[in-house]
Amino acid sequence: MGFQDTPEEWQVTASVTPFTGNKTSVRTDDVVMPDGSVHSRDYQVHPGSVAVLALDGDGRVLVLRQYRHPVRHKLWEIPAGLLDIPGENPLHAAQRELYEEAHVKAEDWRVLTDVYTTPGGCDEAVRVFLAQDLSEAEGERFEVSEEEADMEQARVPLDELVRGVLAGDLHNNCLVVGTLALTAVLAGDGVDSLRPADAPWPARPFEA
């Protein structure tokens, strides 16, 4: 099948979970190395996430500015959220996040890319969707709280985001990956070459 990542699982001789949080936990596995030695590996166990690069008819991307305490920054991001329900369809989760965070709906959905955000220390998998044919969602706005209560929203031309990414001014991983992926798609085989919104996702299997 060409140049691609492949699943593999090395033997684990022991596993403990020293910390369990509200959404994630930390696990320590004792892993058998190729030479037979055993070494411990600590990592965050994560339910997975979805992100939405929402592109309007004027070629602008919907972005949100949100405070992120671990890095002490307000970051420009694309709408995103956790897969809170085991086995949840990621498309449904992405549609929910776009509605809750931006009060926007989209008629055209495709898979832009799938990534592991930090595979050296976390098992988080993210599916980044491309959403097009945008319009305002019906009904009342979702009531946000905590950090989301301070969010700002903007629509920024795609090429301006690319410049910001390459200049080191924009750092959110889903925004960076989504922006550069869409730029590559538009310069290559076009949006119609992308996978459908319900494409299989081995990293986080889901129900149809």
Side-chain angles (χ1 to χ4, degrees):
M1 295 294 291
F3 193 68
Q4 63 182 30
D5 298 332
T6 55
E8 186 167 344
E9 188 168 353
W10 292 0
Q11 182 184 358
V12 174
T13 59
S15 182
V16 296
T17 304
F19 170 79
T20 300
N22 185 34
K23 297 292 185 181
T24 66
S25 60
V26 174
R27 182 177 297 160
T28 299
D29 289 344
D30 292 339
V31 185
V32 180
M33 300 292 130
D35 64 0
S37 61
V38 178
H39 296 272
S40 63
R41 294 291 178 263
D42 305 319
Y43 60 100
Q44 182 185 22
V45 179
H46 194 285
S49 306
V50 292
V52 185
L53 194 149
L55 186 71
D56 71 15
D58 296 321
R60 301 175 302 171
V61 177
L62 190 158
V63 292
L64 307 167
R65 189 168 182 245
Q66 183 173 347
Y67 175 67
R68 293 301 187 181
H69 186 72
V71 296
R72 308 305 199 270
H73 269 71
K74 273 192 170 182
L75 301 179
W76 284 107
E77 308 178 350
I78 57 177
L82 298 176
L83 290 167
D84 294 311
I85 305 169
E88 182 179 16
N89 187 309
L91 174 60
H92 299 165
Q95 291 169 332
R96 180 186 68 235
E97 293 299 331
L98 185 61
Y99 161 72
E100 291 182 355
E101 295 190 351
H103 199 66
V104 166
K105 65 179 181 179
E107 299 302 322
D108 188 296
W109 290 83
R110 302 162 196 262
V111 175
L112 187 53
T113 190
D114 299 323
V115 295
Y116 290 116
T117 55
T118 49
C122 179
D123 71 352
E124 181 184 15
V126 180
R127 169 155 282 187
V128 183
F129 289 91
L130 172 64
Q132 298 182 104
D133 295 342
L134 309 183
S135 61
E136 185 173 356
E138 296 91 356
E140 297 183 2
R141 285 186 172 271
F142 182 79
E143 185 175 346
V144 295
S145 61
E146 301 175 11
E147 290 92 341
E148 292 184 352
D150 189 49
M151 281 195 308
E152 303 169 49
Q153 184 178 145
R155 295 195 183 196
V156 182
L158 179 63
D159 58 357
E160 185 174 334
L161 292 179
V162 171
R163 286 194 294 271
V165 167
L166 298 180
D169 296 330
L170 299 171
H171 306 91
N172 173 264
N173 60 348
C174 291
L175 183 147
V176 170
V177 169
T179 295
L180 298 183
L182 180 58
T183 300
V185 167
L186 295 176
D189 295 332
V191 169
D192 288 341
S193 68
L194 291 171
R195 288 171 290 162
D198 60 353
W201 189 18
R204 292 293 185 273
F206 59 90
E207 301 172 1

